[in-house]
Amino acid sequence: MVLENVFTKESIIIGLESTEKDELFEEMVEAIHSLHPNFDRAEVLSALEEREAQMSTGIMHSVAVPHAFASSINGTIGAIGISKNGIDYDSLDGSPVHVVFMLLAGNGQTEKHIQILKSLALLIQKNGFVDKLVSCQSQSEAYNLIVQTEEAV
């Protein structure tokens, strides 16, 4: 179980308020910061924007996986955001994003970072998973779905 060590029930945001990517990054970084207050928000936002400038992390219909490395991050942390209305994300397929897996890692965490991205890829490719996640009504429901789906993959 890789993902439950990065994404906790408390790090799941049901009903994201953001409608655009820049707002989304700020909303999710703030949520992560409330759980892990010892990192530099400005550094993390800059690292996310820099990574996104290379290529959109809106990777498939309805899903984005923004990720970045920052020296002020200790280990690997993250958050999951769910938007019923969708977010204008400049995705590769042009579709709005409804599920966001944000991953932040400290320098030297490359191997773990890749392992988490691989686990996420397997999860989101599971037939029906993204739609089920979008329909979740609570953090507990979403967390349990993620854990159960990861166990089954």
Side-chain angles (χ1 to χ4, degrees):
M1 299 300 296
V2 174
L3 299 179
E4 70 180 318
N5 296 324
V6 177
F7 304 109
T8 64
K9 180 173 55 173
E10 295 77 24
S11 71
I12 298 173
I13 307 162
I14 303 288
L16 286 167
E17 296 177 12
S18 303
T19 58
E20 296 178 3
K21 189 185 334 185
D22 292 342
E23 294 172 346
L24 170 71
F25 284 4
E26 290 183 26
E27 182 179 357
M28 290 193 69
V29 166
E30 187 57 40
I32 296 169
H33 194 263
S34 71
L35 297 170
H36 306 277
N38 296 327
F39 69 83
D40 182 338
R41 285 183 296 218
E43 177 198 21
V44 166
L45 282 169
S46 177
L48 284 165
E49 290 165 2
E50 197 174 298
R51 167 58 189 89
E52 198 67 26
Q54 295 172 9
M55 184 175 154
S56 178
T57 56
I59 57 170
M60 63 179 281
H61 184 68
S62 296
V63 178
V65 186
H67 54 280
F69 292 93
S71 63
S72 64
I73 298 288
N74 184 17
T76 302
I77 55 179
I80 299 167
I82 300 170
S83 170
K84 304 279 189 220
N85 298 324
I87 299 160
D88 181 10
Y89 199 90
D90 298 323
S91 299
L92 298 175
D93 66 1
S95 299
V97 163
H98 293 273
V99 178
V100 180
F101 295 92
M102 182 175 279
L103 184 61
L104 306 174
N107 295 335
Q109 294 288 312
T110 306
E111 187 174 318
K112 184 174 183 181
H113 186 80
I114 291 170
Q115 181 183 19
I116 294 164
L117 290 173
K118 181 181 174 184
S119 293
L120 279 175
L122 292 171
L123 196 71
I124 61 180
Q125 290 176 25
K126 183 107 171 115
N127 193 27
F129 171 76
V130 173
D131 291 335
K132 287 178 189 173
L133 192 56
V134 171
S135 69
C136 287
Q137 299 295 313
S138 69
Q139 291 173 312
S140 294
E141 184 182 358
Y143 182 77
N144 291 337
L145 175 65
I146 291 163
V147 170
Q148 291 166 2
T149 305
E150 186 180 18
E151 285 175 354
V153 170

